[in-house]
Structure formats: C-alpha cells, structure tokens
Amino acid sequence: MKEFTPDKYLGHKINRISRSIDRYFDRKRCSKTECIPRSQGMMIGYIMDNQGQNIFQKDIEAKFHLSGATVTNMLKSLEKNGYIVRTPMENDARLKRIELTQKALDHENRVRENIMVIEEAMHEGFSKEEFNMMLGFLDRVIDNMEKLNK
C-alpha cells in the first residue's frame, strides 16, 4: 500500500494555501469596531464591479445562488450598518436599486489592497514565466476537477 503523506498531495497543498489566504483576510478584514461577514463582503465587491448598472436583489440571488430570504437578511444587515442604500425605481417602486455608500467603497478598496498584497506575496521567488506556467497548470487541475464532479 502507498504511504500516506498528505504534504505530498496537491489537494493538501492547495488547502494550505487557501487556509493561509483566509487567515490573512481574517486578520485584515475586521476593523477594531466592525467586521462584516465574508459573504456580505463578496456582495459589496459584486456591486462595486457593476457600478453604473442597476443591481437589484434578484441579481444578487442569481449571482450567488442564494434564496430570497437569505439575501433579504444580508441586505438588511448591510443597510443597517451603512454599507448600502436601497432606492426605489421611479417606474416601479417595488424594485429597489442597491447602491454602495462611501463606507462600502472604502471597505472594498481596503479589501482589494489586501488582495494585491497577497498576490505579490504569492509571486515572490517566481519569474513571470514560471508563475504563468503554474497558473496554466492550476487551470488544468481546475478543469480536471470540474470534469470529475460532473
């Protein structure tokens, strides 16, 4: 039987990288006064990436594959904590456009700065060519796993 040494398995290494990224974000994403759940942060990122478009609750439900009740609760929390405002549309007051406040924009900019710090750390010690090759290999691993899970 093959010796079980988890540190030699790709899945173990990917899991270690993922946990390390999570630990970094857990340290950096919370201010001394406030911490929003990662799922709400992802919503803020999605809305920021789609500024200039009307984003509604149904768009968030579809993007994140979440139920209406779940998204309603998350949006209520974001609104209560000053990250979003929901503005009724002129032609149909039942539709409420979701807009980010300056507080949310500041938060997302800090998150994106942290992403760049992580990316720079992961690139350290690799040439551009080596890193691009690794990304290609990882894309193939992702494709293989998606095939396995179909």
Side-chain angles (χ1 to χ4, degrees):
M1 183 170 176
K2 190 175 180 182
E3 182 183 342
F4 183 74
T5 52
D7 59 326
K8 295 195 188 310
Y9 289 103
L10 179 59
H12 177 75
K13 291 183 182 297
I14 290 170
N15 193 17
R16 283 186 60 197
I17 293 167
S18 179
R19 284 194 323 262
S20 185
I21 291 169
D22 287 347
R23 277 194 302 274
Y24 180 86
F25 267 112
D26 287 345
R27 276 194 348 264
K28 296 291 185 175
R29 75 184 169 97
C30 298
S31 68
K32 289 183 175 32
T33 58
E34 198 163 342
C35 184
I36 65 171
R38 192 170 295 149
S39 55
Q40 290 180 12
M42 290 172 65
M43 281 186 187
I44 290 172
Y46 169 70
I47 296 165
M48 186 169 176
D49 288 342
N50 290 283
Q51 284 185 329
Q53 299 178 36
N54 290 329
I55 302 293
F56 303 102
Q57 178 170 334
K58 65 179 175 51
D59 300 316
I60 293 173
E61 291 169 14
K63 171 67 178 172
F64 295 101
H65 308 284
L66 296 170
S67 71
T70 299
V71 174
T72 295
N73 289 332
M74 293 169 91
L75 291 175
K76 280 181 182 177
S77 177
L78 286 169
E79 190 170 35
K80 176 183 165 206
N81 291 312
Y83 290 98
I84 65 165
V85 291
R86 291 188 275 187
T87 308
M89 297 297 289
E90 287 182 24
N91 57 342
D92 186 350
R94 294 172 299 175
L95 281 176
K96 292 183 173 62
R97 180 177 58 238
I98 301 166
E99 300 173 283
L100 298 177
T101 63
Q102 188 60 51
K103 181 179 181 179
L105 295 171
D106 293 343
H107 173 272
E108 185 61 19
N109 285 327
R110 283 191 307 274
V111 167
R112 291 174 186 215
E113 287 171 11
N114 286 325
I115 290 170
M116 293 312 300
V117 168
I118 290 169
E119 285 294 319
E120 287 174 18
M122 288 192 291
H123 280 74
E124 195 170 314
F126 290 96
S127 70
K128 186 174 184 173
E129 181 181 273
E130 289 172 326
F131 202 82
N132 286 337
M133 282 177 55
M134 180 174 52
L135 290 177
F137 295 149
L138 291 172
D139 284 340
R140 289 195 336 225
V141 170
I142 290 166
D143 290 344
N144 292 341
M145 291 307 301
E146 287 175 353
K147 286 179 203 168
L148 178 66
N149 286 311
K150 280 188 180 179

